[in-house]
Amino acid sequence: MSEEQSFESFGLSEPVRRAVAEVGYASPTLVQQATFHTIAEGKDVIVQSRTGSGKTAAFALPLIDRVIKPARHVQVMVLCPTRELALQVAGEFERLGKFADVGVAPIYGGAGMQQQIDALKGGAKVVVGTPGRMLDHLRRKTLDVSGLRAIVLDEGDEMLSMGFAEELNAILGMLPKGRQALIFSATMPDAMSRMAARHQREPVTIALSSDHVAPDGIVHHAYFSASGGSVPDLLKVLEIEKPKAALVFCNTKAETEMVARGLQNAGYRAEYLNGDLAQNDRERVMGLLRDERVDFLVATDVAARGIDVPHLSHVIHCGFPESPEAYVHRSGRTGRAGRTGTAISLIGPHDIGNLYLLRLTYGIRPIERTLPSAAENRTRIEAARVESLIAAAGNVSDDAMVLAKRLLTHDDAERAVAWLVERFVMGVREDDVMPPVPRVSVSPSLTAAPEAKSEPRSNGRPPRERAPRSERVESEPLRKIEVRHADPKASDETPGEEVGMESLELSVGKREGVRAGEVARLLRDVGMLAKSEVGRIHVRDRVTLVSVRAEKLDALIESLAEVKYNDVPVSPRRGDVAEAPEAATAD
Ligand code: ADP
Ligand code: MG
């Protein structure tokens, strides 16, 4: 390792050197090397570096070592998008400033105002907090920044995307003129550059791997399903990927609660984290995750932003994010500090556009994977049952053994065993006989085989064994309704012959297990068509013809271009109206 790359080359003071050694950092990360001297010299910087690259210490070290002076007043302000992140940054300042007499006061919403005022009176030199609460203190004059030397915007892009622009501008406007301004961000959207131009003086721009902001050690997987992020799909994915600990992202607060409940019901140790939780609950949940007493934390972007829990092996996008930046930020919660990690996305028809955008923007191209079909699932469940039945079988009398042998040689042995199983195994409470059967409920999906419906419901499992009713999981009844809806339209008329309609041809058909109801749904989900805009559907052997509202045809062909049905590209094209249909089918 060259001289340049060591902490020695920073010329750190003894107290900071000791703290770095105690924290256990052996050598500075790339961003720390790239920024230390510039920040130490008092210059403004804009730093773009991927998540997990050690940005916190990149600003904390030079600030503690060079910028902060002995005088007991607020000298450094750090603004972070969330309370959790503020606490983490405050913690890093405390650890690195342990021997340098750096008082740190966390300032964030949801915690007692008075407590924070006391901390400020106690002579803190560093304040770390969220923009809203920080502005509160400034306006109430409970925070004196007349001696401020540096302001840090940490995860600047995130603060902007969370709508903090106004607060940030207000805060920056209230700070003394000569202060140093440091902007750290994983991505650099235009709004961030504009804010920099407005509040910084001749900033030094340091962009590290801007083309590749996601951590190197992360593998990306994408599972396609009709329902996108439903709980049953998530459970299937967990069965396949077997993550030890994961952060599961949802797009809404309500979903976090629902998904966490779904995971708990399936026997996983899961909790949720969202902005509606009281501060002490949030801290409790984070504590559980850190202590590895919870394996799955289901969170919204906002609540989980910047969370640094080193042992997270997986990030799961249960709801796929709207923006590529959000994907990068979320995924950056795994693969921290050079570890490897896996980011998994559940992709529904609505998400395909955003997935494409992710590829265009960051060149991230998740490995496509398919969820097991209903049939595969069933085989697995059966295998688990056999295993557990064999395992559960205790000692039996010789008489019983003799009878069993006799029975097995009989022509009708199979039926007799089936009867025994039905009578004495399936009818009994499952826990009495069988250890947990993989709780994969079979929801129909684009990739599901047609047997989806035949998953036994009459297997005598007590009702509590089923996935909770309230959730999106139960798409079965929904599908039946949709199929019925599509059925009456199936007729001998060729699609496209109806007034104002044209024919769309998909190069998948009965052979690919295509069902009219699912095609109707696909067109409505992906093509954003109203029910009335989808007409007759003919599922033929190798193609499916659909009549759709003429004006929508071109857009539809475009939006279906990348879609696959049971792994086969649907290759949409304008259908040939003149061609007479074979027997019209819409199962
Ligand atoms: P970022 O803000 O870039 O996402 P963090 O500052 O949260 O990254 O750091 C990510 C992880 O790397 C943290 O767990 C931190 O303790 C660790 N880390 C930071 N600097 C070093 C270093 N020089 N050597 C080893 N680990 C480090
Ligand atoms: Mg950070």
Side-chain angles (χ1 to χ4, degrees), residues 7 23-29 31-32 49-59 85 88 92 95 154-155 306 308 310 332-333 336-337 339:
F7 278 119
V23 172
Y25 297 164
S27 56
T29 64
V31 64
Q32 291 160 8
S49 175
R50 60 185 165 76
T51 49
S53 58
K55 290 193 284 290
T56 319
F59 56 80
L85 196 54
Q88 262 173 35
E92 186 88 341
R95 281 189 297 277
D154 189 20
E155 310 256 0
D308 179 37
R333 302 303 113 220
R336 308 291 285 172
R339 286 186 181 78

Side-chain angles (χ1 to χ4, degrees), residues 409-452:
T409 57
H410 196 281
D411 281 351
D412 235 0
E414 219 169 271
R415 204 171 52 82
V417 172
W419 181 82
L420 283 171
V421 167
E422 192 170 273
R423 180 83 196 269
F424 297 105
V425 179
M426 286 177 153
V428 180
R429 256 171 48 94
E430 218 153 55
D431 328 35
D432 293 345
V433 189
M434 312 227 212
V437 164
R439 192 188 295 269
V440 263
S441 79
V442 196
S443 86
S445 70
L446 277 185
T447 49
E451 294 91 311

Side-chain angles (χ1 to χ4, degrees), residues 2 46 91 117 120 131 167 177 208 242 258 267 319 359 367 369 483 495 502 535 545 562 567 586:
S2 81
I46 303 177
I117 293 174
L120 291 170
E167 281 88 347
K177 285 276 160 297
L208 295 160
K242 303 203 180 348
M258 182 194 88
R359 195 159 88 197
I367 300 163
R369 306 200 137 194
V483 171
E502 277 195 67
L545 292 169
E562 301 229 350
D567 278 336

Side-chain angles (χ1 to χ4, degrees), residues 490-512:
S491 80
D492 282 324
E493 239 178 287
T494 309
E497 280 181 355
E498 299 149 88
V499 184
M501 304 294 261
E502 277 195 67
S503 172
L504 168 76
E505 185 181 313
L506 306 175
S507 56
V508 288
K510 278 185 243 168
R511 292 193 185 195
E512 285 76 27

Side-chain angles (χ1 to χ4, degrees), residues 51 214-220 327 331-335 339-343:
T51 49
D216 293 330
I218 296 187
V219 182
H220 302 265
Y327 181 94
S331 303
R333 302 303 113 220
T334 183
R339 286 186 181 78
T340 55
T342 309

Side-chain angles (χ1 to χ4, degrees), residues 14 32 92 97 113 152 161 183 192 218 296-297 321 348 353 407 439 453 485 504 535 542 552 586:
E14 200 277 331
Q32 291 160 8
E92 186 88 341
M113 195 81 183
V152 182
S161 75
I183 296 178
M192 192 74 255
I218 296 187
F296 295 91
L297 184 63
L407 172 63
R439 192 188 295 269
K453 267 194 282 194
H485 163 79
L504 168 76
R542 296 182 144 178
K552 297 289 176 87

